[in-house]
Amino acid sequence: MKRFSALILLLCGLLPAAAGCAATTGEIILHDSDGADYHPTLDPADFVGRIDHPFFTLTPGRVWVYEGTTGEGEAERVEVEVTRDTKVILGITTTVVRDRVWVDGELVEDTRDWFAQDREGNVWYLGEAVQEIQGGVVVGTAGSWEAGVDGALPGIIMKGNPRPGEGYRQEFYPGEAEDIGQVLRLDALVSIGLGQYVHCLQIKEWTPLEPAVVEHKYYCQAVGNLALAKKVAGGSGQIELVEMRSVP
């Protein structure tokens, strides 16, 4: 995977307007393609003990199930469960979310993600422990990272007050995890098998590690999480919510 070699993306939500950001729904212009100027500092005292963002509500016991197809046309199933486990990272107590992926009925990934919400309502992403699985055996951990370890830095998975045109780093571990998000709109209409949802948040996501691939994700308050994700460039495939439930 190649990095961007030109000035392509800028994190308008984290850098001053003087850096050249434009609050539009078009492309973000980057003056910092390698993250050299990205230095978020987090104070544990600024964090709260819950994650109740209306578009990203992580209540322990909540489960979301998604189904769809990969770019190769294979059947994909994803189960996201908010566990009751916590993990302290950079002095911050995070919520542990388990994310499992099946392709054509075979479990291929089992991941633990770590999130925490600050007093401004921003939901921070502080890392993930990835297990790649083949034939029931763990064969790799590519993509794993933890904020504060080996140069990895936290990112924001959901802005407290998302505004169209705003861009931000969702994670930053050079060469491994460099996802970037941009808010496109707050009034998207989402129609899936479970029903129709209005006033949804539409976010564009991409990474300098795979610059040709762009994905749009739709978050709806009635769901409290992702409702639909689909590739819009660099391939095909989409996945949508098919079930919501709570476990004891």
Side-chain angles (χ1 to χ4, degrees), residues 171-206:
E171 56 184 8
F172 191 61
Y173 182 30
E176 292 289 339
E178 300 184 24
D179 286 3
I180 293 172
Q182 179 188 12
V183 178
L184 295 184
R185 57 192 299 183
L186 296 167
D187 61 352
L189 175 67
V190 174
S191 295
I192 56 177
L194 281 185
Q196 188 173 86
Y197 303 97
V198 298
H199 305 302
C200 295
L201 170 63
Q202 182 180 355
I203 295 177
K204 170 185 172 182
E205 292 187 1
W206 71 100

Short mmCIF file of all heavy atoms in Angstrom, two decimals, residues 171-206:
data_model
loop_
_atom_site.label_atom_id
_atom_site.label_comp_id
_atom_site.label_asym_id
_atom_site.label_seq_id
_atom_site.Cartn_x
_atom_site.Cartn_y
_atom_site.Cartn_z
N GLU A 171 -7.67 7.62 13.34
CA GLU A 171 -6.62 6.80 13.96
C GLU A 171 -5.30 7.21 13.33
O GLU A 171 -5.28 7.75 12.22
CB GLU A 171 -6.88 5.31 13.70
CG GLU A 171 -7.00 4.98 12.22
CD GLU A 171 -7.36 3.53 11.95
OE1 GLU A 171 -7.66 2.79 12.90
OE2 GLU A 171 -7.32 3.12 10.77
N PHE A 172 -4.21 6.95 14.05
CA PHE A 172 -2.92 7.29 13.43
C PHE A 172 -1.79 6.43 13.99
O PHE A 172 -1.27 6.68 15.07
CB PHE A 172 -2.58 8.76 13.63
CG PHE A 172 -1.42 9.21 12.77
CD1 PHE A 172 -1.49 9.13 11.39
CD2 PHE A 172 -0.25 9.66 13.35
CE1 PHE A 172 -0.42 9.51 10.59
CE2 PHE A 172 0.83 10.04 12.57
CZ PHE A 172 0.75 9.97 11.19
N TYR A 173 -1.46 5.41 13.23
CA TYR A 173 -0.30 4.57 13.48
C TYR A 173 0.39 4.44 12.13
O TYR A 173 -0.03 3.62 11.30
CB TYR A 173 -0.73 3.22 14.04
CG TYR A 173 0.42 2.29 14.39
CD1 TYR A 173 1.66 2.77 14.82
CD2 TYR A 173 0.25 0.90 14.31
CE1 TYR A 173 2.69 1.92 15.14
CE2 TYR A 173 1.28 0.04 14.64
CZ TYR A 173 2.50 0.55 15.05
OH TYR A 173 3.53 -0.31 15.37
N PRO A 174 1.40 5.25 11.86
CA PRO A 174 1.98 5.34 10.53
C PRO A 174 2.29 3.99 9.89
O PRO A 174 2.93 3.13 10.48
CB PRO A 174 3.27 6.15 10.77
CG PRO A 174 2.93 7.00 11.95
CD PRO A 174 2.10 6.12 12.83
N GLY A 175 1.76 3.84 8.68
CA GLY A 175 2.01 2.63 7.93
C GLY A 175 1.07 1.49 8.24
O GLY A 175 1.04 0.49 7.52
N GLU A 176 0.27 1.62 9.29
CA GLU A 176 -0.62 0.53 9.71
C GLU A 176 -2.08 0.97 9.81
O GLU A 176 -2.97 0.25 9.36
CB GLU A 176 -0.18 -0.02 11.07
CG GLU A 176 1.15 -0.76 11.05
CD GLU A 176 1.07 -2.11 10.35
OE1 GLU A 176 -0.05 -2.65 10.23
OE2 GLU A 176 2.12 -2.61 9.93
N ALA A 177 -2.32 2.13 10.41
CA ALA A 177 -3.70 2.58 10.64
C ALA A 177 -3.74 4.10 10.49
O ALA A 177 -3.26 4.83 11.35
CB ALA A 177 -4.15 2.18 12.05
N GLU A 178 -4.31 4.57 9.39
CA GLU A 178 -4.31 6.00 9.10
C GLU A 178 -5.65 6.48 8.55
O GLU A 178 -5.72 7.37 7.71
CB GLU A 178 -3.19 6.35 8.11
CG GLU A 178 -1.79 6.01 8.60
CD GLU A 178 -0.71 6.45 7.63
OE1 GLU A 178 -0.95 7.39 6.84
OE2 GLU A 178 0.39 5.86 7.64
N ASP A 179 -6.75 5.91 9.03
CA ASP A 179 -8.06 6.27 8.51
C ASP A 179 -8.40 7.74 8.78
O ASP A 179 -8.09 8.28 9.86
CB ASP A 179 -9.15 5.40 9.13
CG ASP A 179 -9.14 3.99 8.56
OD1 ASP A 179 -8.27 3.68 7.74
OD2 ASP A 179 -10.00 3.19 8.97
N ILE A 180 -9.06 8.35 7.82
CA ILE A 180 -9.47 9.74 7.90
C ILE A 180 -10.95 9.83 7.57
O ILE A 180 -11.46 9.10 6.70
CB ILE A 180 -8.66 10.61 6.91
CG1 ILE A 180 -7.20 10.65 7.36
CG2 ILE A 180 -9.22 12.02 6.80
CD1 ILE A 180 -6.27 11.31 6.38
N GLY A 181 -11.68 10.70 8.27
CA GLY A 181 -13.10 10.88 8.02
C GLY A 181 -13.41 12.31 7.64
O GLY A 181 -12.70 13.24 8.03
N GLN A 182 -14.48 12.50 6.89
CA GLN A 182 -14.98 13.84 6.55
C GLN A 182 -16.50 13.80 6.61
O GLN A 182 -17.14 12.93 6.01
CB GLN A 182 -14.53 14.26 5.15
CG GLN A 182 -15.05 15.65 4.76
CD GLN A 182 -14.77 16.00 3.32
OE1 GLN A 182 -14.39 15.14 2.52
NE2 GLN A 182 -14.95 17.25 2.95
N VAL A 183 -17.08 14.73 7.34
CA VAL A 183 -18.54 14.82 7.43
C VAL A 183 -19.08 15.38 6.12
O VAL A 183 -18.66 16.44 5.66
CB VAL A 183 -18.95 15.74 8.60
CG1 VAL A 183 -20.48 15.87 8.65
CG2 VAL A 183 -18.42 15.21 9.92
N LEU A 184 -20.02 14.66 5.51
CA LEU A 184 -20.63 15.11 4.26
C LEU A 184 -21.97 15.80 4.49
O LEU A 184 -22.24 16.85 3.95
CB LEU A 184 -20.80 13.94 3.29
CG LEU A 184 -19.52 13.27 2.79
CD1 LEU A 184 -19.85 12.19 1.77
CD2 LEU A 184 -18.56 14.30 2.19
N ARG A 185 -22.83 15.17 5.31
CA ARG A 185 -24.16 15.76 5.53
C ARG A 185 -24.77 15.20 6.81
O ARG A 185 -24.37 14.16 7.32
CB ARG A 185 -25.07 15.51 4.34
CG ARG A 185 -25.25 14.04 3.99
CD ARG A 185 -25.92 13.85 2.64
NE ARG A 185 -27.26 14.44 2.61
CZ ARG A 185 -28.07 14.34 1.57
NH1 ARG A 185 -27.68 13.70 0.48
NH2 ARG A 185 -29.28 14.88 1.60
N LEU A 186 -25.78 15.91 7.29
CA LEU A 186 -26.49 15.52 8.50
C LEU A 186 -27.95 15.19 8.24
O LEU A 186 -28.70 14.94 9.17
CB LEU A 186 -26.42 16.65 9.54
CG LEU A 186 -25.03 17.02 10.06
CD1 LEU A 186 -25.07 18.34 10.81
CD2 LEU A 186 -24.52 15.91 10.97
N ASP A 187 -28.33 15.19 6.96
CA ASP A 187 -29.73 14.98 6.61
C ASP A 187 -29.91 13.85 5.61
O ASP A 187 -30.85 13.87 4.81
CB ASP A 187 -30.33 16.28 6.06
CG ASP A 187 -29.62 16.76 4.80
OD1 ASP A 187 -28.57 16.17 4.45
OD2 ASP A 187 -30.11 17.73 4.17
N ALA A 188 -29.04 12.87 5.66
CA ALA A 188 -29.13 11.76 4.70
C ALA A 188 -30.32 10.86 5.02
O ALA A 188 -30.69 10.66 6.18
CB ALA A 188 -27.84 10.95 4.73
N LEU A 189 -30.92 10.33 3.97
CA LEU A 189 -32.02 9.37 4.10
C LEU A 189 -31.47 7.97 3.83
O LEU A 189 -30.82 7.75 2.81
CB LEU A 189 -33.13 9.70 3.10
CG LEU A 189 -34.30 8.71 3.02
CD1 LEU A 189 -35.10 8.73 4.31
CD2 LEU A 189 -35.20 9.05 1.83
N VAL A 190 -31.69 7.05 4.74
CA VAL A 190 -31.18 5.69 4.61
C VAL A 190 -32.34 4.70 4.55
O VAL A 190 -33.17 4.67 5.46
CB VAL A 190 -30.24 5.34 5.78
CG1 VAL A 190 -29.83 3.87 5.72
CG2 VAL A 190 -29.01 6.23 5.78
N SER A 191 -32.38 3.92 3.50
CA SER A 191 -33.41 2.88 3.35
C SER A 191 -32.73 1.53 3.30
O SER A 191 -31.96 1.25 2.38
CB SER A 191 -34.23 3.12 2.08
OG SER A 191 -34.96 4.31 2.17
N ILE A 192 -33.01 0.69 4.29
CA ILE A 192 -32.45 -0.66 4.34
C ILE A 192 -33.57 -1.62 4.70
O ILE A 192 -34.72 -1.20 4.90
CB ILE A 192 -31.30 -0.76 5.38
CG1 ILE A 192 -31.79 -0.32 6.77
CG2 ILE A 192 -30.11 0.07 4.95
CD1 ILE A 192 -30.73 -0.46 7.86
N GLY A 193 -33.26 -2.89 4.77
CA GLY A 193 -34.29 -3.89 5.06
C GLY A 193 -35.03 -3.67 6.36
O GLY A 193 -36.21 -3.99 6.48
N LEU A 194 -34.33 -3.09 7.35
CA LEU A 194 -34.95 -2.86 8.66
C LEU A 194 -35.92 -1.69 8.64
O LEU A 194 -36.72 -1.53 9.56
CB LEU A 194 -33.88 -2.62 9.72
CG LEU A 194 -33.16 -3.83 10.29
CD1 LEU A 194 -32.22 -3.41 11.41
CD2 LEU A 194 -34.15 -4.87 10.82
N GLY A 195 -35.81 -0.84 7.63
CA GLY A 195 -36.69 0.32 7.57
C GLY A 195 -36.01 1.52 6.96
O GLY A 195 -34.92 1.44 6.39
N GLN A 196 -36.67 2.66 7.10
CA GLN A 196 -36.16 3.91 6.55
C GLN A 196 -35.83 4.86 7.69
O GLN A 196 -36.60 5.02 8.63
CB GLN A 196 -37.20 4.54 5.63
CG GLN A 196 -36.69 5.75 4.85
CD GLN A 196 -37.70 6.23 3.83
OE1 GLN A 196 -38.59 7.02 4.15
NE2 GLN A 196 -37.58 5.76 2.60
N TYR A 197 -34.66 5.48 7.60
CA TYR A 197 -34.19 6.38 8.65
C TYR A 197 -33.89 7.75 8.05
O TYR A 197 -33.30 7.84 6.96
CB TYR A 197 -32.94 5.82 9.32
CG TYR A 197 -33.14 4.43 9.90
CD1 TYR A 197 -32.76 3.29 9.18
CD2 TYR A 197 -33.72 4.26 11.15
CE1 TYR A 197 -32.95 2.03 9.71
CE2 TYR A 197 -33.91 2.99 11.69
CZ TYR A 197 -33.52 1.88 10.96
OH TYR A 197 -33.72 0.63 11.48
N VAL A 198 -34.29 8.80 8.77
CA VAL A 198 -34.07 10.16 8.28
C VAL A 198 -33.05 10.89 9.15
O VAL A 198 -32.73 10.45 10.25
CB VAL A 198 -35.40 10.95 8.25
CG1 VAL A 198 -36.38 10.30 7.30
CG2 VAL A 198 -36.01 11.03 9.66
N HIS A 199 -32.55 12.02 8.63
CA HIS A 199 -31.59 12.86 9.35
C HIS A 199 -30.38 12.06 9.82
O HIS A 199 -29.95 12.17 10.98
CB HIS A 199 -32.27 13.55 10.54
CG HIS A 199 -33.49 14.35 10.16
ND1 HIS A 199 -33.42 15.38 9.24
CD2 HIS A 199 -34.78 14.26 10.54
CE1 HIS A 199 -34.62 15.90 9.09
NE2 HIS A 199 -35.47 15.23 9.85
N CYS A 200 -29.86 11.25 8.92
CA CYS A 200 -28.69 10.44 9.25
C CYS A 200 -27.40 11.20 8.92
O CYS A 200 -27.38 12.09 8.06
CB CYS A 200 -28.72 9.12 8.49
SG CYS A 200 -30.11 8.05 8.95
N LEU A 201 -26.36 10.85 9.59
CA LEU A 201 -25.04 11.44 9.41
C LEU A 201 -24.28 10.63 8.36
O LEU A 201 -24.12 9.42 8.50
CB LEU A 201 -24.28 11.43 10.74
CG LEU A 201 -22.80 11.79 10.73
CD1 LEU A 201 -22.58 13.21 10.25
CD2 LEU A 201 -22.20 11.59 12.12
N GLN A 202 -23.83 11.29 7.31
CA GLN A 202 -23.07 10.63 6.25
C GLN A 202 -21.61 11.05 6.34
O GLN A 202 -21.29 12.25 6.32
CB GLN A 202 -23.63 10.99 4.87
CG GLN A 202 -22.92 10.30 3.72
CD GLN A 202 -23.50 10.68 2.37
OE1 GLN A 202 -24.51 11.40 2.30
NE2 GLN A 202 -22.89 10.21 1.30
N ILE A 203 -20.73 10.08 6.44
CA ILE A 203 -19.30 10.33 6.59
C ILE A 203 -18.53 9.63 5.48
O ILE A 203 -18.79 8.47 5.16
CB ILE A 203 -18.80 9.83 7.96
CG1 ILE A 203 -19.45 10.64 9.09
CG2 ILE A 203 -17.27 9.93 8.05
CD1 ILE A 203 -19.07 10.17 10.48
N LYS A 204 -17.61 10.35 4.90
CA LYS A 204 -16.71 9.79 3.89
C LYS A 204 -15.45 9.33 4.61
O LYS A 204 -14.89 10.06 5.44
CB LYS A 204 -16.37 10.86 2.85
CG LYS A 204 -15.27 10.50 1.89
CD LYS A 204 -14.96 11.71 1.00
CE LYS A 204 -13.74 11.49 0.13
NZ LYS A 204 -13.44 12.69 -0.69
N GLU A 205 -14.99 8.12 4.32
CA GLU A 205 -13.79 7.59 4.96
C GLU A 205 -12.81 7.09 3.91
O GLU A 205 -13.21 6.52 2.90
CB GLU A 205 -14.13 6.45 5.92
CG GLU A 205 -14.91 6.89 7.14
CD GLU A 205 -15.08 5.78 8.16
OE1 GLU A 205 -14.57 4.66 7.92
OE2 GLU A 205 -15.74 6.01 9.18
N TRP A 206 -11.54 7.31 4.16
CA TRP A 206 -10.48 6.81 3.29
C TRP A 206 -9.18 6.80 4.07
O TRP A 206 -9.12 7.24 5.22
CB TRP A 206 -10.36 7.67 2.03
CG TRP A 206 -9.79 9.04 2.24
CD1 TRP A 206 -8.52 9.47 2.00
CD2 TRP A 206 -10.48 10.19 2.74
NE1 TRP A 206 -8.38 10.80 2.31
CE2 TRP A 206 -9.57 11.27 2.77
CE3 TRP A 206 -11.80 10.41 3.16
CZ2 TRP A 206 -9.92 12.54 3.21
CZ3 TRP A 206 -12.14 11.69 3.61
CH2 TRP A 206 -11.22 12.72 3.62
#
